[in-house]
Amino acid sequence: MLDADFFRRWMTAAAASVDREAERLTALDSAIGDADHGSNLQRGFRAVTAALDKDAPDTPGAVLTLSGRQLISTVGGASGPLYGTLLRRAGKALGDAAEVGEEELAAALRAGVDGVMKLGGAAPGDKTMIDALVPAVDALASGFAAARTAAEEGARATTPLQARKGRASYLGERSIGHQDPGATSSALLIAALADTAEANGE
Amino acid sequence: MSDDKLVGIVLVSHSAEVAASVAELAKGLAGGATAVPVAPAGGTEGGGLGTSAELISAAAASVDRGAGVAVLTDLGSAVLTVKALLAEGDELPEGTRLVDAPFVEGAVAAVVTAAAGADLDAVEAAAAEAYSYRKA
């Protein structure tokens, strides 16, 4: 079972990963976006870890809801409301339970991803974070490692796609040949989840 | 009409200058419409290009007179941030609505309509109607 501390460690691991990879995310974003994805997410996840340290929410749902709220408030780019919605919807789906199982987590993340698709209007194949998140959630039934692999493969598979959402879509065919920064950061988020689960012995 | 209370207007842009200038333009073109509460929410809190949920929430609170608040946005994260705040439920005043309208033309239409004492539905309809004006 996964408790609030597990979810706090997941968010902390995600923040550390975003810190490590911020330059790469921004470099990917400078090719087809506005070159701020790494620094935006860095600011957002620093706010997440600071809020979790301060408030220490005591249920998995509350950890994710608070984290999502911080991302919406602090990121400053489209990834803020999108990741914020992902975490907040997932948090709401987990409710007030003190501990949740892997199946509940998978169902909650599914609800989160559905919320992101509704908010941004993106579908699989549009060269967005959805291209990493949907395969990851699909694979979660087979375990955390499978979800990480699926997210990373999904992110890499955005390279030949033409962007159909967001600023990159204005580039038309010129968006082809670049890996999507949002799908890349989504893969980091899922990898942080898998790392946390492995360290937990799940 | 809603008890003589005026609908508030919030203008959200990636740029503080754009939001403030469109607010000024809309109020100017509305003539004696200075009574309409209009607040810009542009850029990030640090003064850069982007969207700030805090600035949007503060702007909406500042124009809320109890008749609802119409929020107009430019693009991308401005739209998504307002939608996410509305989904949150408690971040924006009761009766706040994201209006689907072109930013500049919609702002002018919204302010002029609100100045006439119209309710939120009418302000929203006027702003959205601005899409139908073809330029070529």
Side-chain angles (χ1 to χ4, degrees):
Chain A
M1 294 295 278
L2 311 170
D3 62 7
D5 194 55
F6 173 89
F7 284 83
R8 188 188 56 73
R9 279 181 276 127
W10 172 24
M11 291 296 108
T12 305
S17 176
V18 164
D19 262 338
R20 278 196 305 274
E21 301 288 336
E23 281 185 31
R24 183 166 74 101
L25 293 174
T26 291
L28 290 171
D29 194 29
S30 65
I32 58 173
D34 49 1
D36 61 5
H37 191 53
S39 49
N40 279 349
L41 280 188
Q42 217 172 7
R43 182 169 54 244
F45 273 97
R46 280 177 183 166
V48 166
T49 51
L52 293 177
D53 284 346
K54 181 166 166 280
D55 287 358
D58 58 3
T59 64
V63 170
L64 293 186
T65 306
L66 177 64
S67 300
R69 195 186 186 110
Q70 290 300 314
L71 292 177
I72 291 170
S73 296
T74 57
V75 167
S79 57
L82 292 167
Y83 279 124
T85 294
L86 172 71
L87 297 183
R88 215 172 49 189
R89 285 291 167 82
K92 281 183 182 166
L94 292 176
D96 296 329
E99 291 188 324
V100 300
E102 288 179 30
E103 283 181 18
E104 289 163 277
L105 171 60
L109 285 178
R110 172 80 65 193
V113 173
D114 287 347
V116 172
M117 288 199 277
K118 185 159 179 282
L119 178 63
D126 285 347
K127 198 180 181 98
T128 70
M129 50 198 279
I130 293 304
D131 292 315
L133 291 175
V134 167
V137 172
D138 287 344
L140 203 51
S142 311
F144 290 105
R148 170 170 46 206
T149 304
E152 285 167 358
E153 285 173 358
R156 277 197 296 276
T158 61
T159 302
L161 298 177
Q162 178 172 332
R164 286 198 289 258
K165 285 287 166 191
R167 186 191 175 286
S169 65
Y170 301 150
L171 296 176
E173 289 182 359
R174 282 177 294 144
S175 65
I176 294 171
H178 302 279
Q179 184 168 320
D180 181 64
T184 308
S185 59
S186 289
L188 295 179
L189 185 68
I190 299 298
L193 173 62
D195 291 346
T196 307
E198 280 159 15
N200 208 37
E202 296 290 336
Chain B
M1 303 292 272
S2 52
D3 308 332
D4 298 333
K5 289 175 188 161
L6 295 174
V7 171
I9 315 284
V10 172
L11 302 173
V12 184
S13 169
H14 279 57
S15 153
E17 288 84 355
V18 168
S21 297
V22 172
E24 193 185 338
L25 174 68
K27 284 194 284 189
L29 291 182
T34 47
V36 177
V38 182
T44 62
E45 283 164 278
L49 297 179
T51 308
S52 161
E54 309 297 331
L55 291 179
I56 294 168
S57 297
S62 78
V63 300
D64 179 27
R65 302 288 183 270
V69 176
V71 182
L72 286 87
T73 65
D74 59 4
L75 71 169
S77 62
V79 181
L80 297 180
T81 301
V82 173
K83 282 187 177 176
L85 288 175
L86 287 170
E88 175 87 5
D90 59 355
E91 298 264 322
L92 298 173
E94 183 88 19
T96 300
R97 208 177 282 176
L98 173 63
V99 169
D100 181 17
F103 191 58
V104 176
E105 295 87 337
V108 173
V111 173
V112 170
T113 307
D119 64 13
L120 184 56
D121 285 341
V123 170
E124 179 179 30
E129 172 73 16
Y131 270 133
S132 66
Y133 173 70
R134 310 316 310 178
K135 297 172 190 174

XYZ file of all heavy atoms in Angstrom, chain B residues 14-56:
267
model
N -0.490 37.153 -21.943
C 0.876 36.756 -21.598
C 1.742 37.969 -21.260
O 2.799 37.829 -20.672
C 1.520 36.015 -22.775
C 1.136 34.579 -22.860
N -0.161 34.168 -22.947
C 1.893 33.445 -22.848
C -0.184 32.849 -22.995
N 1.043 32.391 -22.933
N 1.294 39.134 -21.695
C 2.085 40.352 -21.510
C 1.337 41.339 -20.622
O 0.167 41.649 -20.873
C 2.362 40.969 -22.884
O 2.550 42.368 -22.767
N 2.019 41.871 -19.601
C 1.405 42.868 -18.722
C 1.015 44.104 -19.528
O -0.059 44.684 -19.318
C 2.387 43.245 -17.610
N 1.871 44.494 -20.476
C 1.598 45.694 -21.280
C 0.371 45.488 -22.152
O -0.451 46.397 -22.301
C 2.810 46.047 -22.150
C 3.996 46.603 -21.383
C 4.880 45.510 -20.799
O 4.521 44.318 -20.909
O 5.913 45.853 -20.206
N 0.269 44.306 -22.770
C -0.890 44.041 -23.633
C -2.176 44.081 -22.804
O -3.155 44.727 -23.189
C -0.746 42.689 -24.373
C -2.065 42.293 -25.036
C 0.357 42.778 -25.417
N -2.180 43.414 -21.668
C -3.392 43.373 -20.841
C -3.793 44.780 -20.404
O -4.964 45.167 -20.497
C -3.157 42.481 -19.617
N -2.808 45.565 -19.951
C -3.113 46.915 -19.477
C -3.569 47.803 -20.627
O -4.503 48.611 -20.476
C -1.877 47.511 -18.797
N -2.925 47.662 -21.785
C -3.281 48.511 -22.925
C -4.661 48.174 -23.465
O -5.418 49.071 -23.850
C -2.248 48.361 -24.047
O -0.993 48.800 -23.609
N -4.991 46.892 -23.514
C -6.319 46.517 -24.011
C -7.392 46.991 -23.025
O -8.460 47.444 -23.436
C -6.398 44.990 -24.262
C -7.822 44.560 -24.584
C -5.484 44.612 -25.418
N -7.086 46.947 -21.741
C -8.027 47.470 -20.744
C -8.261 48.965 -20.979
O -9.403 49.449 -20.973
C -7.488 47.226 -19.331
N -7.177 49.679 -21.214
C -7.263 51.126 -21.446
C -8.032 51.413 -22.735
O -8.895 52.302 -22.778
C -5.842 51.680 -21.534
C -5.755 53.186 -21.456
C -4.318 53.662 -21.672
O -3.383 52.855 -21.460
O -4.140 54.814 -22.062
N -7.721 50.635 -23.772
C -8.403 50.802 -25.061
C -9.900 50.558 -24.924
O -10.722 51.350 -25.405
C -7.807 49.817 -26.079
C -8.476 49.733 -27.448
C -8.272 51.035 -28.226
C -7.912 48.553 -28.244
N -10.249 49.460 -24.261
C -11.668 49.110 -24.146
C -12.422 50.167 -23.353
O -13.521 50.587 -23.735
C -11.806 47.734 -23.482
N -11.820 50.628 -22.269
C -12.480 51.670 -21.467
C -12.572 52.968 -22.260
O -13.596 53.670 -22.211
C -11.720 51.885 -20.152
C -11.982 50.783 -19.154
C -11.529 51.156 -17.754
C -10.018 51.063 -17.613
N -9.589 51.220 -16.213
N -11.527 53.285 -23.009
C -11.527 54.516 -23.808
C -12.588 54.486 -24.884
O -13.335 55.464 -25.083
N -12.706 53.343 -25.570
C -13.687 53.233 -26.651
C -15.110 53.146 -26.108
O -16.070 53.385 -26.841
C -13.387 52.015 -27.539
C -12.103 52.123 -28.383
C -11.933 50.883 -29.243
C -12.095 53.372 -29.261
N -15.244 52.799 -24.850
C -16.576 52.726 -24.254
C -17.045 54.110 -23.784
O -18.121 54.241 -23.204
C -16.574 51.742 -23.075
N -16.231 55.119 -24.028
C -16.631 56.480 -23.682
C -16.768 56.666 -22.184
O -15.809 56.506 -21.444
N -17.971 56.975 -21.750
C -18.155 57.241 -20.320
C -18.304 55.983 -19.502
O -19.035 55.978 -18.507
N -17.624 54.944 -19.897
C -17.819 53.651 -19.238
C -16.861 53.425 -18.097
O -16.637 52.313 -17.681
C -17.680 52.520 -20.253
N -16.293 54.475 -17.569
C -15.256 54.293 -16.550
C -15.784 53.596 -15.298
O -15.011 53.105 -14.508
C -14.645 55.645 -16.150
O -15.713 56.557 -15.933
C -13.719 56.151 -17.224
N -17.104 53.567 -15.111
C -17.658 52.903 -13.927
C -17.503 51.393 -14.012
O -17.574 50.701 -12.994
C -19.131 53.265 -13.762
N -17.318 50.855 -15.240
C -17.172 49.408 -15.361
C -15.839 48.981 -14.763
O -14.789 49.497 -15.129
C -17.221 48.971 -16.843
C -16.991 47.468 -16.957
C -18.536 49.347 -17.450
N -15.881 48.034 -13.811
C -14.612 47.573 -13.253
C -13.875 46.667 -14.246
O -14.399 45.609 -14.628
C -15.031 46.804 -11.998
C -16.469 46.493 -12.155
C -17.053 47.401 -13.189
N -12.725 47.105 -14.685
C -11.906 46.340 -15.625
C -10.522 46.183 -15.005
O -9.936 47.164 -14.556
C -11.759 47.069 -16.983
C -10.936 46.232 -17.958
C -13.123 47.396 -17.576
N -10.035 44.962 -14.955
C -8.699 44.746 -14.389
C -7.849 43.914 -15.339
O -8.283 42.849 -15.787
C -8.796 44.052 -13.032
N -6.637 44.365 -15.637
C -5.718 43.540 -16.426
C -5.014 42.526 -15.532
O -4.763 42.796 -14.348
C -4.716 44.568 -16.968
C -4.715 45.674 -15.969
C -6.072 45.677 -15.295
N -4.709 41.361 -16.083
C -3.893 40.358 -15.392
C -2.906 39.852 -16.436
O -3.157 38.857 -17.116
C -4.753 39.234 -14.835
N -1.806 40.583 -16.566
C -0.870 40.251 -17.643
C 0.477 39.780 -17.139
O 0.983 40.272 -16.138
N 1.043 38.812 -17.862
C 2.392 38.349 -17.574
C 2.488 37.577 -16.268
O 1.486 37.218 -15.654
N 3.724 37.320 -15.873
C 3.970 36.594 -14.630
C 4.166 37.596 -13.494
O 4.350 38.784 -13.733
C 5.247 35.737 -14.742
O 6.357 36.598 -14.952
C 5.141 34.770 -15.910
N 4.130 37.077 -12.279
C 4.341 37.967 -11.131
C 5.715 38.628 -11.167
O 5.891 39.734 -10.676
C 4.177 37.183 -9.824
C 2.730 36.919 -9.496
C 2.595 35.840 -8.449
O 2.659 34.653 -8.823
O 2.443 36.186 -7.277
N 6.681 37.942 -11.789
C 8.025 38.502 -11.891
C 8.168 39.519 -13.010
O 9.254 40.040 -13.238
N 7.079 39.787 -13.736
C 7.130 40.778 -14.806
C 7.493 40.201 -16.162
O 7.630 40.946 -17.136
N 7.647 38.878 -16.254
C 7.979 38.260 -17.532
C 6.736 37.907 -18.340
O 5.609 38.172 -17.911
N 6.954 37.301 -19.511
C 5.846 36.849 -20.347
C 5.336 35.522 -19.813
O 6.117 34.618 -19.547
C 6.310 36.670 -21.797
C 6.791 37.929 -22.532
C 7.240 37.557 -23.942
C 5.696 38.978 -22.593
N 4.028 35.397 -19.682
C 3.458 34.152 -19.184
C 2.126 34.420 -18.523
O 1.495 35.447 -18.783
N 1.702 33.492 -17.683
C 0.397 33.619 -17.042
C 0.541 33.392 -15.548
O 1.222 32.458 -15.137
C -0.573 32.571 -17.613
O -0.568 32.659 -19.034
C -1.990 32.831 -17.110
N -0.067 34.233 -14.761
C -0.009 34.087 -13.310
C -1.392 33.843 -12.736
O -2.288 34.685 -12.838
C 0.583 35.351 -12.685
O 0.247 35.411 -11.309
N -1.554 32.674 -12.117
C -2.829 32.366 -11.465
C -3.129 33.361 -10.351
O -4.278 33.738 -10.132
C -2.780 30.939 -10.907
N -2.062 33.804 -9.660
C -2.260 34.762 -8.558
C -2.794 36.085 -9.083
O -3.706 36.675 -8.501
C -0.935 34.999 -7.813
C -0.202 33.737 -7.369
C -0.998 32.926 -6.367
O -1.776 33.518 -5.624
O -0.849 31.689 -6.354
N -2.198 36.579 -10.162
C -2.644 37.861 -10.715
C -4.083 37.757 -11.234
O -4.871 38.692 -11.080
C -1.712 38.322 -11.849
C -0.287 38.740 -11.442
C 0.532 39.148 -12.670
C -0.328 39.883 -10.428
N -4.431 36.614 -11.807
C -5.794 36.418 -12.319
C -6.793 36.418 -11.153
O -7.831 37.090 -11.206
C -5.896 35.102 -13.123
C -5.054 35.191 -14.399
C -7.352 34.803 -13.471
C -4.866 33.854 -15.095
